């Protein structure tokens, strides 16, 4: 059971103020499970949610239109979602910044119209959070953050299965996203939750979320608890951490330092930002050495990937249209034969009456 209503914080948005819930962190790190939990507890998903697939059967719970927009925004800055140097936040040319910000505001309004507790989960938002926070300022929207913590080697295992990424790339990518999640949310209400703990004791993690936010989740009642119990099972744990980060060279050293900090944060024992800032400096040094080679390649690959996806979607749409047209032709043929039968019967009856 969650703590009694008298011991839980009250909802500071109960007076009508709009407050968004942001799920920050790396792809494949438990963001979908945490988002599902928050949505069942009353935070409100967008209009257009990405469906599930063989990699995430219960669904991704993220706004696919915003995810597509974020991909465009990253490419415009010479980066991509799988760019290991996407932290710090990639900047677009100054003359284009206002246009991107206006687009973000309009898209958010379309996706979350009428929602008092919008729930936005797209891992790309993590590395673009300074940009999105400007949009939230324009919207007059406050934010609360939830940051799931999963071992980078477990994330790497998942990315290897889904995307074929090398382990070194995956743990560096995880490090960049987690560094961004921490740095860009320091002045916001935020909670760090262990992914394994969410699956084994979500009630305890919810209590920590509410305590960190100083506000109760909007609609966490008996019915929501039953739905969350059914949704968050051990079956969601598809990959475990295998191997040692120490065996991965400098990429493993960076990831180990970041993970140690976040593992402590998930126990409410974060040591302060100095350790992470030193690790971020080490990553920045590597970016200075090889970033000019890595980031443009990631951008160009992402552009090709996006074009391929668009072509696939267009082909799928055309196939559906062809099936619809084929069905219509077949229906017209059936109608024609039916009408011909009626006409043949009418002619037969007329011939009989006329004695022909």
């Amino acid at each position: 059971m969650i703590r009694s209503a008298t011991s839980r914080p009250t909802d500071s948005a109960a007076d009508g103020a709009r407050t968004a819930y942001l799920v920050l962190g790396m792809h494949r790190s438990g963001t979908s499970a945490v988002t599902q939990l928050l949505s069942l507890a009353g935070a409100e998903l967008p209009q257009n949610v990405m469906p599930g697939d063989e990699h995430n059967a219960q669904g991704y719970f993220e706004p696919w239109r915003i995810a597509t927009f974020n991909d465009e925004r990253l490419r415009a800055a010479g980066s991509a979602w799988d760019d290991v140097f996407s932290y710090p936040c990639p900047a677009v040319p100054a003359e284009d910044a206002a246009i991107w910000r206006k687009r973000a505001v309009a898209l958010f309004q379309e996706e979350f119209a009428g929602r008092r507790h919008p729930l936005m989960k797209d891992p790309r938002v993590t590395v673009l959070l300074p940009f999105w926070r400007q949009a939230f300022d324009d919207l007059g929207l406050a934010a609360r953050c939830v940051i799931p913590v999963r071992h980078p080697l477990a994330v790497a295992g998942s990315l290897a299965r889904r995307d074929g990424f090398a382990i070194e790339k995956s743990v560096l990518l995880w490090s960049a996203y987690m560094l961004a999640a921490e740095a860009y949310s320091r002045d916001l209400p935020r909670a760090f939750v262990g992914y394994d703990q969410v699956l084994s004791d979500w009630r305890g993690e919810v209590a920590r979320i509410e305590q960190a936010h100083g506000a109760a989740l909007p609609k966490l009642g008996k019915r929501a608890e039953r739905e969350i119990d059914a949704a968050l099972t051990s079956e969601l744990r598809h990959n475990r951490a295998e191997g040692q980060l120490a065996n991965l060279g400098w990429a493993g050293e960076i990831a180990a330092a970041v993970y140690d900090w976040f593992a402590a944060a998930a126990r409410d024992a974060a040591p302060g930002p100095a350790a992470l800032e030193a690790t971020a400096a080490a990553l920045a040094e590597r970016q200075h050495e090889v970033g000019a080679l890595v980031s443009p390649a990631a951008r160009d690959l992402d552009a090709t990937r996006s074009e391929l996806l668009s072509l696939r979607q267009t082909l799928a749409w055309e196939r559906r249209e062809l099936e619809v047209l084929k069905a219509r032709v077949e229906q017209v043929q059936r109608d024609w034969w039916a009408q011909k039968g009626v006409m043949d019967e009418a002619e037969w009856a007329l011939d009989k009456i006329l004695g022909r």
Side-chain angles (χ1 to χ4, degrees):
M1 289 291 295
I2 298 295
R3 292 172 297 168
S4 67
T6 56
S7 64
R8 293 173 63 202
T10 59
D11 182 4
S12 60
D15 59 359
R18 244 181 131 203
T19 304
Y21 282 86
L22 305 179
V23 179
L24 305 178
M26 175 57 193
H27 305 256
R28 316 305 295 167
S29 65
T31 55
S32 295
V34 169
T35 303
Q36 186 176 21
L37 187 160
L38 294 175
S39 69
L40 292 173
E44 298 160 291
L45 291 168
Q47 295 276 6
N48 298 285
V49 179
M50 188 179 296
D53 58 20
E54 69 274 19
H55 302 292
N56 208 341
Q58 292 198 24
Y60 289 87
F61 305 98
E62 66 186 53
W64 65 263
R65 293 181 64 211
I66 289 178
T68 300
F69 169 81
N70 285 334
D71 277 332
E72 294 177 10
R73 170 61 178 74
L74 285 167
R75 287 196 297 271
S79 187
W81 76 265
D82 60 340
D83 178 5
V84 298
F85 298 121
S86 56
Y87 172 76
C89 179
V92 295
E95 61 270 21
D96 298 333
I99 296 173
W100 283 102
R101 183 170 171 175
K102 185 176 180 180
R103 286 183 61 190
V105 169
L107 184 55
F108 190 92
Q109 288 176 319
E110 290 174 10
E111 288 295 319
F112 293 99
R115 289 160 171 77
R116 195 174 71 181
H117 294 286
L119 170 57
M120 186 159 74
K121 171 257 176 179
D122 173 25
R124 301 160 186 82
V125 169
T126 305
V127 293
L128 290 173
L129 192 54
F131 162 72
W132 274 102
R133 288 189 63 175
Q134 291 177 341
F136 293 158
D137 288 343
D138 291 345
L139 291 162
L141 188 67
R144 301 168 184 154
C145 305
V146 181
I147 304 171
V149 179
R150 190 181 188 189
H151 197 285
L153 287 175
V155 173
S158 184
L159 288 171
R161 289 161 58 94
R162 192 188 74 174
D163 300 293
F165 288 173
I167 295 176
E168 291 84 352
K169 172 175 178 172
S170 293
V171 300
L172 274 180
L173 196 56
W174 176 89
S175 300
Y177 272 70
M178 299 306 285
L179 287 169
E182 191 283 323
Y184 298 150
S185 66
R186 284 182 191 172
D187 61 334
L188 295 174
R190 64 183 185 179
F192 302 93
V193 297
Y195 175 61
D196 290 331
Q197 286 68 35
V198 168
L199 298 184
S200 61
D201 178 26
W202 67 262
R203 289 171 173 81
E205 295 303 282
V206 161
R208 295 181 60 252
I209 291 171
E210 293 184 329
Q211 185 64 34
H213 289 173
L217 292 173
K219 297 178 181 178
L220 185 56
K222 298 287 187 181
R223 178 177 177 180
E225 289 190 34
R226 290 193 298 270
E227 292 175 340
I228 295 170
D229 281 333
L232 299 183
T233 68
S234 59
E235 294 177 0
L236 297 179
R237 191 185 290 108
H238 301 299
N239 295 277
R240 297 182 183 276
E242 297 182 359
Q244 297 292 326
L245 289 170
N247 296 333
L248 301 179
W250 64 268
E253 292 175 5
I254 287 175
V258 175
Y259 180 69
D260 287 346
W261 192 96
F262 276 92
R267 301 190 303 268
D268 297 321
L276 285 185
E277 289 171 353
T279 305
L283 183 61
E285 183 177 350
R286 296 294 179 173
Q287 182 179 17
H288 177 72
E289 295 171 355
V290 298
L293 302 176
V294 173
S295 296
R299 175 203 60 201
D300 294 343
L301 178 60
D302 191 60
T304 302
R305 185 165 48 211
S306 176
E307 182 178 2
L308 178 60
L309 178 60
S310 177
L311 289 173
R312 284 177 175 172
Q313 291 172 335
T314 300
L315 180 60
W317 179 84
E318 290 176 347
R319 284 175 174 170
R320 288 194 297 269
E321 287 295 298
L322 183 60
E323 290 299 321
V324 170
L325 289 174
K326 182 180 178 181
R328 288 178 180 173
V329 169
E330 291 174 349
Q331 184 61 51
V332 168
Q333 289 176 332
R334 287 194 294 270
D335 291 345
W336 185 85
W337 282 110
Q339 291 299 322
K340 185 177 185 301
V342 171
M343 289 296 297
D344 288 345
E345 289 181 4
E347 288 182 3
W348 178 83
L350 181 62
D351 288 345
K352 186 175 182 181
I353 292 172
L354 296 176
R356 293 189 300 195

